[in-house]
Structure formats: C-alpha cells, structure tokens
Amino acid sequence: MGLLSAKVAIVTGAANEIAQGIALRFCREGAIVIVVDPDSAQAEALASRIGVAGGEARAYGADLGQPGEAERLAGDIVTFQGGIDILVNASHPPLRWDRLDHDPLHRFRSAFEATVAPAVAAMAAVRPHMVRRGGGRIINVGSVYGASANEGVADAVTMDGALAALSRAAGVEWARDNVLINFLQGAVPDTAMFAAYRAEKGVIVDHLIEIMPMRRLAVPIEDIGGAALLLASDEGCFLVGQKVYADGGQHLVAAVFEPGATR
C-alpha cells in the first residue's frame, strides 16, 4: 500500500519536468493521477509514460486560465473518478530572459495569466469537491528561479511570490475544512535541458554546484516528488501555508544558474 493509495490527484503543467517528476512519484505511491496541460500531446505523453511505469493516469488537455475550463475539469474528474483529493499547480510559462524595463506590463500580465490565474481557478474549482470528501491537499509549485533573483527573471520571481502568498492566504481560510494548502519551491532539476545549458556554460556551472550544500542538482521524481509526497499525504496532515524548499539548500547560498537577460 502506498502513501497515496486510491487518492485522485490532479497535476497541471505536464510539459514541466518538475510536474512530471511529481506525477510519477504520486503514481508510484498508488495515486490515480490526472495530468493536465494546454497542450494535449504533452499530457498524453506523460500519461503514457506513467502507464509504462505501471501507474494509473489520465491525460486532460485544458487551459485552466480560460473561463469555465477548471470547472469542466473538476466536474469530469468527479464523474469518472468519484472525487478529488489532491491538486498540484505546477504550470509555468517559458521565460523571455529579458530585463524588467523591457515591456514589463505585457510580460507580467502574460506570466500571471499562465501561472497564477490557472492556479486560482483550479483551487476554486476543486475546493467544494474536496470539502465533500472530508478534506484535500493543494500544492502550488514555484519555478526553479524564485528562491532568489537574477537578471532577466523578474516575472518568474514575482509569480512565485504571488503563489506563495496565495498559499498562505487560502491556507488560513480553507484549513477549517481540512483543505490544506502549501507552496513548494523546487531546485534546478538534473535534466537533459540543464545538461545542454551546462555544456554551453562550462566549468562555471560545476563551481556553482560545488558551493551548494548538497553539491548536486535535484532529481525530479525522488527529491522534488518526495517533498510533494510529504505535503500531499497524511504525513503532512498539520502543514498549512508552508513554503517548503526542496532544493538541497540551494536557496541558502543562492547559486545562480540563470543565463540572465538577453538584452
């Protein structure tokens, strides 16, 4: 029996490698995972990967920032699975790597509509179903850039701050119904995309990793997925409004891997 046996979990942002790690970890622990992304092909690919690994998953293509989409998602899941126990908001738009003084209003509106607005909509849509089940867990996942700040990532840092504040504020209101909300800040994951960046930048990246307390990058399934598992399972039954760093201490030394502004 896994820690999430028979739990129904929604994980948004199927194109995001951190979201993929969380979804795979949840399935390993027995959850039925609905993976969501505006790109249906990305959702299907992750669901297939989970199936190959022996887990149970369904793909769902939806842009939760659009009116009615979050409600449609929640209603369909309740119809097919009987309820909703866990929501992981892990959608993040691609970054422009641009300075704050270059068209900031458009950038921030775009980032908000792709990150914070879908999270708010999904939270509101699943809450009544969680309450009927006697409670639930909501995890808002930050980007890998929000633990500190660097040139060219002001939109990502600001959206992470908004998600952390949202987790605290909603946590106060919803904990009385046993709907527990927390914020998870992951680290730079050890993925193919980062390997390409590392090859381009050379030995400086190795030096940055060396000054991190644990001297390695994050493994999405084991490290970030493990932290999400704590927040989603009964082991985290008294955690509300927390900001959890699953980064091996990276935020303590502020190792900066971002390439910086392009202009």
Side-chain angles (χ1 to χ4, degrees), residues 142-149 153 156-158 160-161 183 185-186 243 245 258:
S143 71
V144 299
Y145 309 104
S148 57
V153 292
V157 173
T158 303
D160 281 11
F183 178 81
Q185 187 83 64
K243 186 175 186 178
Y245 290 98
E258 298 87 344

Side-chain angles (χ1 to χ4, degrees), residues 2-259:
L3 290 175
L4 301 180
S5 182
K7 298 291 187 182
V8 178
I10 302 170
V11 179
T12 73
N16 182 329
E17 289 177 287
I18 287 178
Q20 293 168 16
I22 293 172
L24 286 159
R25 185 60 182 268
F26 282 10
C27 282
R28 184 196 298 176
E29 294 294 332
I32 301 163
V33 180
I34 291 80
V35 291
V36 183
D37 199 89
D39 185 341
S40 298
Q42 293 282 1
E44 291 285 357
L46 179 54
S48 297
R49 183 180 171 192
I50 290 169
V52 169
E56 184 176 352
R58 296 173 63 98
Y60 202 102
D63 181 352
L64 301 184
Q66 296 300 311
E69 285 293 278
E71 290 81 3
R72 179 173 67 89
L73 168 67
D76 286 350
I77 292 171
V78 170
T79 298
F80 289 111
Q81 303 296 341
I84 301 168
D85 301 293
I86 301 162
L87 168 66
V88 179
N89 287 310
S91 296
H92 290 279
L95 292 178
R96 289 179 54 185
W97 303 111
D98 206 353
R99 290 174 57 87
L100 181 60
D101 52 351
H102 292 150
D103 197 16
L105 187 56
H106 173 74
R107 285 179 57 199
F108 274 60
R109 280 177 173 161
S110 176
F112 184 90
E113 290 169 1
T115 305
V116 182
V120 172
M123 289 168 61
V126 304
R127 180 186 176 277
H129 302 293
M130 289 182 171
V131 171
R132 281 194 286 273
R133 301 264 275 195
R137 304 286 189 273
I138 297 175
I139 305 168
N140 292 319
V141 181
S143 71
V144 299
Y145 309 104
S148 57
N150 192 42
E151 188 178 71
V153 292
D155 46 355
V157 173
T158 303
M159 295 312 110
D160 281 11
L163 288 172
L166 172 65
S167 301
R168 293 196 307 272
V172 170
E173 295 187 15
W174 294 3
R176 68 195 66 183
D177 293 316
N178 198 34
V179 177
L180 309 183
I181 308 167
N182 293 284
F183 178 81
L184 177 60
Q185 187 83 64
V188 173
D190 192 2
T191 62
M193 182 179 295
F194 187 83
Y197 165 79
R198 191 173 186 175
E200 176 188 348
K201 294 296 181 179
V203 69
I204 185 63
V205 176
D206 297 325
H207 292 326
L208 288 171
I209 293 173
E210 190 66 20
I211 68 171
M212 293 167 60
M214 293 189 69
R215 300 185 179 184
R216 67 175 178 85
L217 302 173
V219 179
I221 298 175
E222 306 301 335
D223 297 329
I224 303 175
L229 177 61
L230 167 65
L231 297 174
S233 72
D234 289 342
E235 304 301 312
C237 66
F238 212 55
L239 299 176
V240 182
Q242 295 293 318
K243 186 175 186 178
V244 176
Y245 290 98
D247 68 352
Q250 181 182 332
H251 71 284
L252 299 173
V253 296
V256 176
F257 295 105
E258 298 87 344

